[in-house]
Amino acid sequence: MTSSMAATACATATALSPSTATAQRPSAQGRLVFPAAPARSHSLRLRAAGRRSPRATKVVVAALADPLKVMISGAPASGKGTQCELIKTKFGLVHISAGDLLRAEIAAGSDNGKQAKEFMEKGQLVPDEIVVNMVKDRLLQPDAQENGWLLDGYPRSYSQAMALETLEIRPDVFILLDVPDELLVERVVGRRLDPETGKIYHLKYSPPENEEIASRLTQRFDDTEEKVKLRLQTYYQNIESLLSTYEDIIVKVQGDRTVGDVFAEIEKLLGSSLEKKTEVVSST
């Protein structure tokens, strides 16, 4: 990952955010796998994910007439990027990130992209209307309509959620990854980037292989404890504003466990949702 690419990604995150604090997305060129946390700083009420049915394989096929629609959200370093990859692979959903869409539209020089670029060059937030139109257009494409979709990290605010509601864009499930703040801070502050390979390391959980690599590692300017805490504060404010819109479909998943344990719960949750959708289709 070059410094210019990192700057573009950071600018895009800023442009999408409903406030001045940015929420960092995991790098596409490397992901970190963190061990489970020994304790949690706060308790959560979890919605039961439901038992997995022996019909799970049939469910995926039968439910294609009414594909699965999922939103997922998580704080910086919550492991959201890793879980998105696992969900996409297991369920065949189209992974859609508003940040990726924005960068693609700008690169393609589309009408939406040109409008967004004008705001970004002025250091201003891209209006919700522009981003929502990008998301809507992407969700209406044949692959998303046929296979279902996984909307990653969007909406981020009440106004964005209401814009999607107006367009009748609503998920079957809203997954909320929950990780204790102290663990999130530790994950972010210890993160390092190899500018030559684009690989991401962690000083504690995934250290560099040798001293040569260690000597050239860099740290993102906003991967400091102070700035991470500010981003977390903004993230929680944004999530709080979404609760009233999605309270009946939000499922909080503890993200301080191993990658496999977290995905096992998500897999059961989405499998159960697919089964329910299949039952509805079968009864009509």
Side-chain angles (χ1 to χ4, degrees):
M1 178 183 294
T2 65
S3 58
S4 61
M5 291 173 63
T8 300
C10 185
T12 305
T14 304
L16 284 172
S17 176
S19 79
T20 56
T22 60
Q24 180 184 358
R25 299 187 67 254
S27 167
Q29 294 184 338
R31 301 196 186 282
L32 293 173
V33 177
F34 297 101
R40 297 183 56 76
S41 60
H42 56 279
S43 60
L44 290 173
R45 183 178 63 184
L46 300 179
R47 183 190 297 268
R51 291 183 174 275
R52 187 161 204 180
S53 166
R55 296 183 295 163
T57 302
K58 295 181 181 179
V59 166
V60 174
V61 176
L64 290 179
D66 185 21
L68 191 61
K69 300 179 286 292
V70 181
M71 288 180 179
I72 185 169
S73 182
S78 63
K80 178 168 63 66
T82 298
Q83 294 301 323
C84 282
E85 289 296 322
L86 294 171
I87 294 170
K88 180 178 68 174
T89 300
K90 176 65 179 182
F91 294 94
L93 303 181
V94 176
H95 181 204
I96 300 171
S97 159
D100 290 344
L101 279 180
L102 185 55
R103 285 185 286 271
E105 293 277 349
I106 292 174
S110 67
D111 290 340
N112 283 329
K114 290 177 181 177
Q115 293 181 58
K117 187 177 181 180
E118 290 180 3
F119 286 96
M120 292 176 66
E121 288 178 341
K122 297 175 183 177
Q124 300 175 351
L125 299 179
V126 178
D128 289 343
E129 180 182 358
I130 295 176
V131 182
V132 168
N133 282 335
M134 292 181 185
V135 172
K136 178 194 69 174
D137 292 344
R138 183 64 186 90
L139 293 176
L140 290 177
Q141 291 184 20
D143 59 343
Q145 291 290 299
E146 294 171 6
N147 301 318
W149 45 263
L150 172 64
L151 190 52
D152 176 1
Y154 195 86
R156 297 185 180 187
S157 68
Y158 178 76
S159 61
Q160 293 168 356
M162 285 296 96
L164 294 179
E165 289 284 300
T166 300
L167 295 170
E168 298 184 350
I169 297 175
R170 187 173 178 82
D172 301 302
V173 181
F174 190 118
I175 299 171
L176 183 58
L177 293 176
D178 187 80
V179 181
D181 287 359
E182 61 269 20
L183 182 55
L184 292 172
V185 171
E186 180 184 58
R187 288 178 176 181
V188 173
V189 172
R191 196 159 47 189
R192 296 293 186 274
L193 171 69
D194 184 342
E196 292 189 9
T197 65
K199 183 176 180 180
I200 298 176
Y201 292 92
H202 192 280
L203 298 181
K204 179 179 179 180
Y205 300 118
S206 181
E209 294 86 351
N210 54 59
E211 287 298 325
E212 180 184 355
I213 296 176
S215 66
R216 66 175 184 247
L217 295 183
T218 61
Q219 183 180 29
R220 272 188 52 155
F221 74 93
D222 56 351
D223 277 356
T224 63
E225 182 172 352
E226 180 182 4
K227 292 183 178 179
V228 170
K229 288 182 176 179
L230 287 175
R231 297 210 305 271
L232 288 175
Q233 182 179 1
T234 300
Y235 169 77
Y236 291 131
Q237 290 173 347
N238 295 339
I239 284 298
E240 186 68 26
S241 71
L242 298 177
L243 294 181
S244 62
T245 305
Y246 299 113
E247 61 182 351
D248 58 329
I249 55 173
I250 282 184
V251 181
K252 293 181 179 180
V253 175
Q254 295 179 8
D256 56 351
R257 298 169 291 171
T258 65
V259 170
D261 287 345
V262 173
F263 182 65
E265 181 173 348
I266 292 176
E267 186 178 10
K268 288 180 181 180
L269 168 67
L270 298 185
S272 176
S273 181
L274 274 174
E275 186 170 350
K276 292 176 183 177
K277 290 166 71 70
T278 301
E279 292 173 354
V280 171
V281 171
S282 300
S283 64
T284 57

